[in-house]
Amino acid sequence: MIKAMLVMGGLATGMPTRALAQLITTPNQVIDCGQVLFRKPVTVHFELTNEGQGSITIKKVETSCGCTEVNFPKGIITENKPFIVSATFDAKQMGHFEKYIDIFTQGASLPFTLTMKGVVVEEVKDYGGEYQYVLGKLKTDRKEIFFDDVEKGENPVAEIHVLNTTSEMANPNIMHLPPYLKADVSPSAIPPGKSGVIYLTLRSDRMDDFGLTQTAVYLGFKPGDKISEDKQIPITAILLPSFGMVTEQQMVYMPKLRISDTTLDLGEFAGKKKKKGTLVIENLGRTDLEISKIQTFTEGLEIELTDKVIQPGSSAKLKVTADQKVLKGVKRTPQILLISNDPRTPKVIVDINVK
């Protein structure tokens, strides 16, 4: 729910002025129309509510261009009363559009802004792939997202195609978003039998640390939907340092990582509770090799690195212990992630084979 507090000026009564709060709320301050046909006007309806102290009146509405017409209530809007603002965009130009509607109410110092956006096309094209998964009430083509090898400052985007197979209008939304993820749904409303796209953007500048970050978001059918396991979308991201400014001359003096193997075969437990193994990490470069992060993708592995700063010509041991009891419930291959300051090999993934 989007809320906007609009502050009114003092009343000319000779008494001390007192700010009165105007509170307009809406479940969708931004409506994405999705694909819009060329020369076919499109209309959206914004549902708003006056939740402020007393009645309000819309004195004027301004748009960001003359191609958008707006209809709004002309009379008094009483307290706690819902109302509709409709906007029609005349799609006479191809490509993406984003139009703003500023609503000015009587006595408020700032407008309440609504946004409609989309893309004008000659022909509406639906997703041609398969919707293999069910998340809540919606079908999707993906059930998890992996952002791999993301350098600090990059903003990669992952797409999830969504199909509404119900008899209701869907307003998909992504719930439980962390600050480093942004979600956009196009179109905002998906009719029965129609499809849409969810764009998930990883904002790496908002991530605190290099290496592996794992979280989960949830796909809601409508705003206010409840979080549940059947709507879960696991998100994995691997953030790397940025070496884009390193020159070839500087590269000569940088550290250089070499690991004895990227697969560690521990064999069979054969009745043992734990199995152990060791890998060797060498620095073949001219400056110190720093292992800034060492993590496991799953539970059931204990890791120990004898030295996280390895001098030129030196080495360190990576000791790995696999726990049979914990790994028994792990579905994926156990792996270890290392992040270093070697621009050639900032990331190393080690697979652990154990039965």
Side-chain angles (χ1 to χ4, degrees):
M1 180 72 70
I2 305 298
K3 297 183 178 181
M5 186 75 74
L6 307 178
V7 180
M8 295 179 66
L11 303 178
T13 61
M15 300 295 290
T17 59
R18 180 174 179 267
L20 298 178
Q22 290 188 7
L23 187 62
I24 295 176
T25 66
T26 177
N28 292 299
Q29 194 168 2
V30 178
I31 293 182
D32 191 316
C33 305
Q35 299 178 77
V36 176
L37 284 174
F38 181 57
R39 295 190 180 278
K40 293 286 185 180
V42 59
T43 300
V44 297
H45 305 285
F46 294 93
E47 300 176 2
L48 301 99
T49 303
N50 170 23
E51 293 188 359
Q53 301 170 8
S55 300
I56 61 173
T57 303
I58 299 176
K59 63 178 182 179
K60 67 174 180 176
V61 170
E62 294 182 354
T63 62
S64 55
C65 79
C67 55
T68 308
E69 293 185 1
V70 182
N71 289 319
F72 59 92
K74 304 300 191 294
I76 295 174
I77 302 169
T78 57
E79 188 175 337
N80 295 320
K81 182 179 180 180
F83 60 100
I84 300 291
V85 172
S86 300
T88 300
F89 170 66
D90 195 355
K92 290 183 178 179
Q93 288 187 331
M94 300 289 291
H96 290 270
F97 66 90
E98 189 163 330
K99 306 300 176 184
Y100 304 99
I101 302 104
D102 288 333
I103 301 172
F104 293 86
T105 55
Q106 191 68 37
S109 57
L110 296 172
F112 183 56
T113 302
L114 302 170
T115 304
M116 66 180 298
K117 63 180 184 178
V119 56
V120 180
V121 296
E122 289 185 351
E123 180 184 0
V124 174
K125 295 181 179 179
D126 289 329
Y127 173 63
E130 296 182 359
Y131 299 92
Q132 306 176 53
Y133 309 103
V134 177
L135 296 178
K137 293 183 178 181
L138 297 167
K139 283 191 173 184
T140 68
D141 66 328
R142 304 173 74 173
K143 64 175 182 178
E144 61 181 334
I145 300 294
F146 194 173
F147 293 102
D148 198 10
D149 294 350
V150 180
E151 291 190 7
K152 189 76 170 180
E154 292 182 335
N155 298 298
V157 179
E159 295 182 7
I160 303 176
H161 292 89
V162 178
L163 178 65
N164 179 13
T165 58
T166 74
S167 58
E168 308 173 59
M169 179 71 77
N171 299 99
N173 65 305
I174 299 296
M175 304 177 289
H176 210 267
L177 274 173
Y180 57 84
L181 282 175
K182 178 176 177 287
D184 295 293
V185 183
S186 179
S188 299
I190 303 177
K194 299 297 183 179
S195 61
V197 185
I198 296 170
Y199 300 95
L200 279 170
T201 303
L202 181 72
R203 298 187 283 191
S204 63
D205 57 321
R206 298 194 177 192
M207 300 180 74
D208 296 328
D209 209 354
F210 296 119
L212 177 69
T213 299
Q214 293 176 305
T215 189
V217 298
Y218 300 84
L219 177 59
F221 186 77
K222 290 183 177 181
D225 211 349
K226 293 182 178 180
I227 290 174
S228 59
E229 191 174 343
D230 66 315
K231 304 167 189 172
Q232 186 182 89
I233 304 173
I235 309 286
T236 300
I238 296 180
L239 183 63
L240 306 178
S242 178
F243 294 104
M245 302 300 291
V246 177
T247 66
E248 291 186 10
Q249 291 179 330
Q250 291 172 326
M251 193 74 74
V252 176
Y253 298 95
M254 298 294 284
K256 187 176 182 181
L257 182 150
R258 182 170 72 179
I259 190 166
S260 54
D261 208 331
T262 54
T263 301
L264 181 59
D265 194 347
L266 300 180
E268 298 183 2
F269 282 105
K272 295 184 179 180
K273 293 183 179 179
K274 295 185 178 182
K275 292 285 289 183
K276 297 183 178 182
T278 302
L279 294 170
V280 177
I281 299 173
E282 299 177 85
N283 180 9
L284 305 182
R286 296 190 181 183
T287 52
D288 289 352
L289 174 66
E290 298 177 9
I291 308 299
S292 58
K293 184 69 66 174
I294 180 167
Q295 298 170 286
T296 61
F297 282 82
T298 60
E299 296 181 341
L301 293 179
E302 300 172 13
I303 50 179
E304 179 189 352
L305 186 61
T306 56
D307 198 346
K308 288 189 175 182
V309 180
I310 306 171
Q311 296 180 347
S314 299
S315 63
K317 292 182 179 180
L318 175 60
K319 300 177 182 179
V320 182
T321 302
D323 188 313
Q324 190 269 343
K325 184 178 179 180
V326 180
L327 283 174
K328 193 174 182 179
V330 174
K331 297 180 180 180
R332 63 175 295 171
T333 301
Q335 292 179 312
I336 297 171
L337 170 69
L338 292 93
I339 303 294
S340 78
N341 64 335
D342 176 2
R344 306 173 194 82
T345 317
K347 179 192 77 172
V348 175
I349 292 180
V350 179
D351 294 321
I352 309 298
N353 291 335
V354 62
K355 298 179 181 179

